Amino acid sequence: MIFIKIVISITFLFLVGCNTTKVQQVEQQVGLEQLLNHSLFNKLDTPSEHSIFELPDAEKEMFLAYAENQKLSQIRDDRIIYNYLESQIANFKYHGDTLTSAQTLKRSQGNCISLAILTQSYAQALGLETSFQEVTSKPIYAKENNVVYVANHFRTKVYAPKVEKKDDNIIEFFRAGTLIDYFPTRRSFYSSSADYNDLVSKFYSNLAAIALADKQLDIAYSLILQANKFTPNDAELFNIAGILHRRAGDLQSAKNIYQTALSNNEISINLISNYQLLAKKLGDKELVKELTSQLVNKEKDPYELLVIAKNNLQAGHAHQAKAHLEQAITKAPYIAELYLELAKVRYQQGNIKQTQTLLEKAIELERDNQKLDVYQAKLLSLQMDK
């Protein structure tokens, strides 16, 4: 079940201002599209921008009828959207898929991007403006085919209808509206502001990451091109494009993409980590050293901690391995492999009862049938040794 929290923001300050002109000097930067090796991929059809937000006719009619009824009670338009979401998706289930509005309604599931897209559809139906906030909660990590995903969350600010001002020289400093947080039960922290273009780009880039995990390189390429139309300076897009070229065997183009991102100051931990992996493949020890130094003081994700723990265990440092695995589990308690590795540590330390408990937890969480068979065999072996 999903919970929604709202914050009503009130217009409370007006400033009298004047028009000013700001001259900016813009440096010409190399865009991502110029760096892609287009000869390696085929451009395929992708969902249109319009289709992302299109509501089924029956749903749109039902929503507009609901809105008209709410207006009779003098309920403000932005609050109407919150009320409707609360009433319609009470049994909504969180799922990692990034979906269009129509898909979200049909399946009654999706991630926060899916819900932000659905909210945008309702706002468009009422002619309301929106903005978005990217927030970081306890990050959701997933790993497929050696690609690590870190999911930040979006929440939506739906602005109240504009009130006609008597004086055109008065600038509205804060606008009234409703902030909708789709996952208030998680401890969320404001990360950065976002807009409509960021939302659309996130839709396409999420699908591109999924296509990469499924080794569908042409689809990933096509979706990256779409996302780039909306956010041409997004570090994560450069990162995904770099992975795409590495997967296609074009290591030099991948290097050019990563290096250009760093030169343009479009940097993320994911990008640096994947560039470091590429540098190792290229045998560039100096570059590996340089990129490693950039990561030293960065917070490690649970998969990095898992690698460190495995190295600790091989070196005979079980206590250090245990500490790193427990730290990783705190960050991502839903990753089965962490419990398996901790079970190995506890087994070495002679704690059979906790080893069994940890293996049972790994079995509970594991979705891969092959891995599940391995975990169950280990548990069975442990029980037979008793």
Side-chain angles (χ1 to χ4, degrees), residues 63-323:
F63 169 66
L64 291 176
Y66 176 91
E68 287 303 314
N69 187 54
Q70 291 265 296
K71 288 177 183 180
L72 294 176
S73 300
Q74 304 300 311
I75 297 175
R76 205 170 64 186
D77 286 10
D78 51 305
R79 178 63 190 239
I80 288 172
I81 291 177
Y82 166 75
N83 291 345
Y84 188 76
L85 283 169
E86 187 179 46
S87 66
Q88 294 299 110
I89 61 174
N91 295 317
F92 188 94
K93 295 178 181 177
Y94 178 83
H95 193 275
D97 291 341
T98 299
L99 306 171
T100 66
S101 289
Q103 291 171 329
T104 299
L105 289 167
K106 183 178 181 179
R107 303 179 194 181
S108 194
Q109 68 180 36
N111 58 18
C112 62
I113 301 299
S114 305
L115 284 170
I117 286 169
L118 181 60
T119 305
Q120 178 68 22
S121 297
Y122 293 134
Q124 288 176 352
L126 293 183
L128 299 179
E129 296 178 56
T130 57
S131 65
F132 304 90
Q133 294 180 357
E134 193 165 0
V135 295
T136 301
S137 62
K138 290 183 178 179
I140 294 179
Y141 294 91
K143 184 178 183 180
E144 294 181 42
N145 295 325
N146 294 319
V147 178
V148 177
Y149 306 99
V150 183
N152 284 349
H153 303 289
F154 265 44
R155 56 191 182 197
T156 305
K157 174 73 173 289
V158 182
Y159 292 105
K162 285 186 176 180
V163 179
E164 188 175 343
K165 298 192 291 274
K166 296 179 181 179
D167 188 343
D168 290 338
N169 289 321
I170 295 178
I171 299 174
E172 191 176 14
F173 194 70
F174 291 102
R175 288 185 60 185
T178 302
L179 183 63
I180 304 176
D181 188 345
Y182 306 107
F183 301 103
T185 54
R186 303 179 182 187
R187 290 191 303 165
S188 297
F189 306 93
Y190 174 81
S191 175
S192 61
S193 61
D195 59 20
Y196 173 84
N197 285 341
D198 294 306
L199 178 64
V200 179
S201 176
K202 190 70 71 174
F203 173 85
Y204 288 120
S205 61
N206 280 3
L207 295 186
I210 293 168
L212 266 180
D214 292 338
K215 300 179 182 179
Q216 297 175 318
L217 302 190
D218 287 339
I219 295 176
Y221 162 76
S222 304
L223 289 162
I224 289 168
L225 286 176
Q226 279 293 89
N228 190 59
K229 292 177 183 178
F230 295 90
T231 56
N233 300 310
D234 184 353
E236 291 305 334
L237 268 186
F238 275 80
N239 177 46
I240 295 173
I243 296 172
L244 173 69
H245 285 76
R246 192 185 78 210
R247 290 279 175 89
D250 186 353
L251 303 189
Q252 189 56 51
S253 289
K255 182 178 180 180
N256 290 342
I257 289 167
Y258 287 130
Q259 192 58 51
T260 301
L262 293 184
S263 299
N264 292 351
N265 203 31
E266 292 152 8
I267 302 170
S268 72
I269 293 177
N270 286 340
L271 187 144
I272 297 173
S273 297
N274 280 298
Y275 192 12
Q276 182 190 50
L277 178 62
L278 177 67
K280 289 177 181 177
K281 280 183 172 292
L282 292 170
D284 191 334
K285 294 182 180 179
E286 283 301 313
L287 181 57
V288 171
K289 184 178 179 181
E290 177 189 336
L291 294 169
T292 300
S293 68
Q294 294 188 44
L295 288 170
V296 167
N297 296 320
K298 301 290 185 183
E299 182 181 358
K300 293 177 174 59
D301 72 44
Y303 287 103
E304 291 175 308
L305 291 167
L306 176 61
V307 171
I308 293 170
K310 286 181 177 180
N311 291 337
N312 290 152
L313 198 57
Q314 288 176 357
H317 305 308
H319 287 290
Q320 292 179 22
K322 178 175 177 287

